[in-house]
Amino acid sequence: MSLLKYFQILRDKGADIVREIKPSDIKIAPWPIMKCRYGCPNFGHNRSCPPFAPAYNETRRIIDCYSCAILFSVHDMDAGTPAALECMQALIADGYYKAIAFGTGPCRRCEKCIPADCPHPNEVMPSPEACGIDLVATVRNAGLPIDMPPKPGAVLNCYGLLLVE
């Protein structure tokens, strides 16, 4: 499967790093959701965040259905989800009907999110962390740069993910 077309879509949307990885290299654990639950003001108040995002054990079962993943980085957290969604739509249009996307950060489409009554359900995807993906370990295992915590003044790398079959 050639993913070059989809890599270019992500680059055109602002991604500077795009890499194919194996789904088995995606690290999943229960603790990322705890960081959402205790420490993030979006928990329970945003459709793309827990408890509305899939639980980590469900995420593992979902990822196990795929043979390919695309990891990409943007420098603006708000740019990752639209890039992932556009790439996912292109994959689906080309016959990769199982393609799904994970964005970057919480959805910010509305001033106040009402998760059960989302007016933009086709524009919302959870972040990898919201689903229990240990994104730092996944990125580091792929040999890509990520500073945690981010260094003051450093360029921020926000990673999104697509699953392709």
Side-chain angles (χ1 to χ4, degrees):
M1 153 184 347
S2 175
L3 299 173
L4 295 178
K5 172 183 176 178
Y6 312 105
F7 285 17
Q8 190 60 50
I9 290 169
L10 292 166
R11 286 189 182 100
D12 290 347
K13 296 295 283 183
D16 66 332
I17 297 172
V18 183
R19 170 94 39 98
E20 180 179 353
I21 64 171
K22 295 182 291 188
S24 60
D25 290 340
I26 298 170
K27 303 303 175 197
I28 299 173
W31 70 263
I33 297 168
M34 287 293 288
K35 293 189 76 87
C36 294
R37 181 175 290 147
Y38 301 101
C40 182
N42 292 305
F43 181 84
H45 301 288
N46 194 297
R47 184 177 171 103
S48 63
C49 297
F52 305 102
Y56 79 95
N57 52 354
E58 181 181 4
T59 300
R60 174 81 275 159
R61 288 192 308 270
I62 291 167
I63 288 172
D64 288 346
C65 295
Y66 290 84
S67 62
C68 179
I70 301 170
L71 188 62
F72 70 95
S73 172
V74 294
H75 298 297
D76 175 2
M77 189 177 296
D78 292 335
T81 298
L85 286 170
E86 185 172 320
C87 188
M88 180 186 77
Q89 290 163 350
L91 284 157
I92 291 169
D94 288 345
Y96 298 103
Y97 69 94
K98 285 176 56 177
I100 59 171
F102 297 86
T104 53
C107 179
R108 301 180 209 269
R109 294 271 301 140
C110 302
E111 189 173 319
K112 181 173 178 3
C113 181
I114 303 170
D117 195 25
C118 178
H120 309 284
N122 294 337
E123 300 172 32
V124 177
M125 296 304 290
S127 69
E129 301 93 333
C131 300
I133 294 173
D134 181 345
L135 196 57
V136 174
T138 299
V139 169
R140 286 180 178 162
N141 284 344
L144 299 174
I146 189 166
D147 288 322
M148 198 49 64
K151 294 178 181 169
V155 174
L156 186 62
N157 286 319
C158 303
Y159 284 91
L161 183 67
L162 289 117
L163 299 174
V164 184
E165 181 66 30

